[in-house]
Amino acid sequence: MYRLLSAVTARAAAPGGLASSCGRRGVHQRAGLPPLGHGWVGGLGLGLGLALGVKLAGGLRGATPAQSPAAPDPEASPLAELPREQSVAPWYPQTPAPPRSRCFARAIESSRDLLHRIKDEVGAPGIVVGVSVDGKEVWSEGLGYADVENRVPCKPETVMRIASISKSLTMVALAKLWEAGKLDLDIPVQHYVPEFPEKEYEGEKVSVTTRLLISHLSGIRHYEKDIKKVKEEKAYKALKMMKENVAFEQEKEGKSNEKNDFTKFKTEQENEAKCRNSKPGKKKNDFEQGELYLREKFENSIESLRLFKNDPLFFKPGSQFLYSTFGYTLLAAIVERASGCKYLDYMQKIFHDLDMLTTVQEENEPVIYNRARFYVYNKKKRLVNTPYVDNSYKWAGGGFLSTVGDLLKFGNAMLYGYQVGLFKNSNENLLPGYLKPETMVMMWTPVPNTEMSWDKEGKYAMAWGVVEKKQTYGSCRKQRHYASHTGGAVGASSVLLVLPEELDTETINNKVPPRGIIVSIICNMQSVGLNSTALKIALEFDKDRSD
């Protein structure tokens, strides 16, 4: 090192040496400036020497054997250890994942992959998911875009249309009024809403009750106004289901006497449709119905009754299931009259009680932070914005906005009320549920003559679809008990699914409700079936929870 430094200094001091090869000094002298002195030469040599020395020292240190942890290198500079300290405690620390989230890492990864596949298959711009386990949110995430034009990504706080999950929210209002003795579910609706006219079916006076409205058994129409098409479709579906049931029973029991039952059933259906063995005329789907795209602003639920109150009933009340959002418009009017409050005011009180602070009715004028835009594909298969719609005519049946987090809170409140009665004997300190256990059992009990369009294994209950526990064969498919509701609106799809833990008196010790998995998914694309996806996700988390 000393020889190297001496050589550099000597060369710099020699005439025509380093100075002549250094463009800076030559230019300095050619510019007529005073000549650079030996101090500059010495400084240059010293600088070069120090630079080379640091480089050689670093190389030599890397070549030395590693020191034992018990005997640290005494020459190691504190600055040299800084990178190691940063790796332990970085300057910009990230919040570690909650312990429960880490427990479900496998389920989260699997569910995220499933959602990516669903999103890609349907071409949805964005999708948001939330999952809670035993009352604790363990995963929420957004995929894709809430606003494609402005490249705003989806996130857990994204607000979207929840569509028909609004019916389950409205059911809570009806249940609270029923528990308070302010609402009778089984008297004619005219007792509360005389503006709705009395009805006849085939010349016979019939009664429409609140209970029938809740379970879509009132006979009030949905968006399709053609009664003939609706009846033909219902008859065809009933016949098809009967054929499937007969074939299953024959295969299961090896009997043939079901043939007589089938013949009898065909006779009963003759008045419903003439061409039972052929498909009915094509009926428009909901998104081809003009009423779905209403732009008119209705001031209250009573005013919106004029859309359908004078239309004939499609079926005798109680006889057949006919899904009807307009039935829930009538239920909103019943809530107003039974409570003495405006429907939206009463619902906002419920949302406040449930801590659902981002759930509001959809209106165009207010600024709603994190609200997504909604999309559809046009005839050329291009993504376009949906047209403007005003949902004031159907607040109760499909007019609310929410987030996955709020829907998880709602699901957990329902599950808590459903289960708390089982835990009362083992834990007397538990708080009451928002709804009483007997109310929740009533709400989640399947109603005869109903259908669950998003899972044919289930039945409709009271503003929820319910699949009951069932297992036909040993070591084969086991059907879990769950409750859910899906939603489909202009440019939006949604689902809220509750998978209760299978409890018995021996397993509730040292546990508190709610016990189970809640999954909520919202999407800014219409006609996306999400119930089976939510069920798969719930079962993935239930598996990790059991393990």
Side-chain angles (χ1 to χ4, degrees):
M1 175 64 67
Y2 176 77
R3 292 195 196 97
L4 179 62
L5 184 59
S6 300
V8 170
T9 305
R11 184 177 179 186
L18 185 61
S20 62
S21 64
C22 179
R24 180 177 296 274
R25 185 171 183 181
V27 171
H28 186 89
Q29 290 179 345
R30 285 195 296 272
L33 298 174
L36 295 173
H38 290 285
W40 179 87
V41 176
L44 176 63
L46 181 60
L48 288 173
L50 288 173
L52 290 171
V54 169
K55 187 172 182 180
L56 288 172
L60 292 173
R61 183 176 299 154
T64 57
Q67 296 289 331
S68 169
D73 183 4
E75 296 182 1
S77 167
L79 292 176
E81 292 297 320
L82 185 58
R84 296 184 191 177
E85 293 175 359
Q86 287 178 332
S87 65
V88 176
W91 291 105
Y92 303 101
Q94 296 181 351
T95 304
R100 287 181 66 85
S101 297
R102 291 196 293 267
C103 293
F104 296 101
R106 186 207 61 82
I108 291 173
E109 182 179 358
S110 174
S111 300
R112 183 185 294 117
D113 179 68
L114 175 62
L115 282 175
H116 272 295
R117 285 189 277 129
I118 295 298
K119 178 181 176 299
D120 292 343
E121 285 176 14
V122 302
I127 193 167
V128 188
V129 62
V131 179
S132 75
V133 178
D134 300 336
K136 307 290 185 180
E137 183 177 319
V138 297
W139 179 46
S140 59
E141 185 174 345
L143 307 175
Y145 290 101
D147 183 341
V148 174
E149 294 171 74
N150 297 299
R151 314 307 281 172
V152 178
C154 284
K155 55 185 179 180
E157 297 79 18
T158 297
V159 175
M160 292 189 187
R161 291 170 178 159
I162 62 171
S164 288
I165 297 177
S166 303
K167 294 179 173 69
S168 302
L169 302 179
T170 299
M171 183 62 222
V172 176
L174 295 164
K176 293 294 284 186
L177 292 169
W178 178 71
E179 288 182 346
K182 297 181 179 180
L183 176 63
D184 189 328
L185 300 177
D186 299 304
I187 62 175
V189 297
Q190 288 79 13
H191 177 79
Y192 301 101
V193 188
E195 292 87 347
F196 188 78
E198 294 185 356
K199 294 293 180 180
E200 293 184 355
Y201 183 76
E202 296 182 349
E204 176 187 357
K205 279 192 174 183
V206 293
S207 293
V208 174
T209 66
T210 301
R211 190 183 298 274
L212 293 176
L213 286 168
I214 291 169
S215 297
H216 302 286
L217 292 168
S218 68
I220 292 176
R221 70 173 179 86
H222 193 37
Y223 298 118
E224 176 60 71
K225 296 182 179 180
D226 191 327
I227 188 170
K228 182 180 178 181
K229 287 183 179 179
V230 172
K231 287 195 170 188
E232 285 182 354
E233 183 185 39
K234 294 288 289 184
Y236 173 76
K237 286 183 177 180
L239 184 65
K240 184 178 179 181
M241 184 178 296
M242 183 63 180
K243 287 181 178 180
E244 293 175 353
N245 291 339
V246 169
F248 175 77
E249 291 297 330
Q250 287 179 340
E251 181 182 356
K252 179 181 177 182
E253 300 179 9
K255 296 180 180 180
S256 60
N257 59 353
E258 289 88 349
K259 191 172 184 180
N260 296 329
D261 295 334
F262 181 58
T263 303
K264 180 180 178 181
F265 179 80
K266 286 175 67 177
T267 303
E268 293 174 353
Q269 293 295 322
E270 283 180 358
N271 294 330
E272 297 293 341
K274 294 180 180 179
C275 302
R276 297 184 302 279
N277 297 321
S278 62
K279 290 186 177 181
K282 184 178 180 182
K283 182 176 76 73
K284 293 180 179 179
N285 65 45
D286 288 347
F287 294 103
E288 296 175 317
Q289 304 292 346
E291 284 179 322
L292 199 65
Y293 300 92
L294 288 177
R295 299 184 180 186
E296 182 180 356
K297 180 78 171 180
F298 292 87
E299 293 301 322
N300 52 58
S301 300
I302 300 296
E303 184 183 346
S304 59
L305 294 179
R306 64 179 169 81
L307 291 170
F308 62 93
K309 68 179 183 179
N310 294 318
D311 294 339
L313 298 180
F314 280 25
F315 299 101
K316 183 178 180 180
S319 65
Q320 291 203 47
F321 179 86
L322 179 62
Y323 190 90
S324 173
T325 291
F326 286 128
Y328 274 73
T329 299
L330 180 52
L331 286 171
I334 293 173
V335 169
E336 288 189 354
R337 294 295 170 77
S339 67
C341 304
K342 291 183 178 179
Y343 170 77
L344 292 178
D345 292 342
Y346 195 77
M347 293 304 300
Q348 282 301 324
K349 178 183 181 304
I350 290 175
F351 298 153
H352 180 268
D353 292 343
L354 296 174
D355 197 32
M356 299 172 63
L357 304 182
T358 60
T359 303
V360 294
Q361 70 272 16
E362 183 183 8
E363 295 180 284
N364 188 54
E365 295 84 5
V367 174
I368 300 175
Y369 293 104
N370 298 313
R371 176 164 29 180
R373 296 181 70 98
F374 305 101
Y375 300 93
V376 67
Y377 284 93
N378 64 14
K379 293 180 179 179
K380 295 182 180 181
K381 309 301 181 184
R382 295 296 297 269
L383 189 72
V384 295
N385 292 298
T386 57
Y388 166 74
V389 294
D390 190 302
N391 288 322
S392 58
Y393 73 98
K394 60 169 184 178
W395 295 133
F400 287 107
L401 301 171
S402 191
T403 62
V404 292
D406 268 14
L407 293 178
L408 292 180
K409 292 177 182 178
F410 174 64
N412 278 307
M414 298 299 100
L415 182 58
Y416 184 96
Y418 182 71
Q419 294 178 330
V420 69
L422 299 173
F423 290 83
K424 274 296 184 182
N425 293 331
S426 61
N427 191 340
E428 297 179 354
N429 297 322
L430 289 174
L431 294 172
Y434 193 68
L435 295 177
K436 297 176 182 178
E438 54 268 29
T439 304
M440 284 305 309
V441 170
M442 177 183 72
M443 285 170 50
W444 283 359
T445 298
V447 175
N449 296 331
T450 61
E451 304 168 11
M452 184 176 171
S453 61
W454 53 92
D455 189 336
K456 65 179 182 178
E457 303 283 356
K459 295 282 188 181
Y460 205 84
M462 299 183 78
W464 289 84
V466 177
V467 173
E468 294 188 293
K469 180 181 178 181
K470 178 182 175 183
Q471 186 170 8
T472 306
Y473 305 104
S475 298
C476 294
R477 178 178 177 269
K478 183 179 180 181
Q479 184 172 286
R480 288 286 300 272
H481 168 234
Y482 76 89
S484 73
H485 211 298
T486 60
V490 177
S493 303
S494 61
V495 66
L496 174 62
L497 185 142
V498 181
L499 183 72
E501 180 182 344
E502 296 178 334
L503 297 170
D504 55 53
T505 54
E506 297 179 356
T507 61
I508 63 174
N509 293 329
N510 301 320
K511 294 181 179 180
V512 293
R515 302 290 302 180
I517 316 294
I518 316 289
V519 179
S520 60
I521 308 174
I522 52 179
C523 171
N524 56 351
M525 169 65 67
Q526 67 193 39
S527 301
V528 182
L530 295 171
N531 189 76
S532 61
T533 301
L535 181 58
K536 289 175 183 176
I537 290 174
L539 293 173
E540 286 292 323
F541 280 83
D542 188 61
K543 180 180 178 181
D544 279 11
R545 177 171 169 271
S546 301
D547 293 343

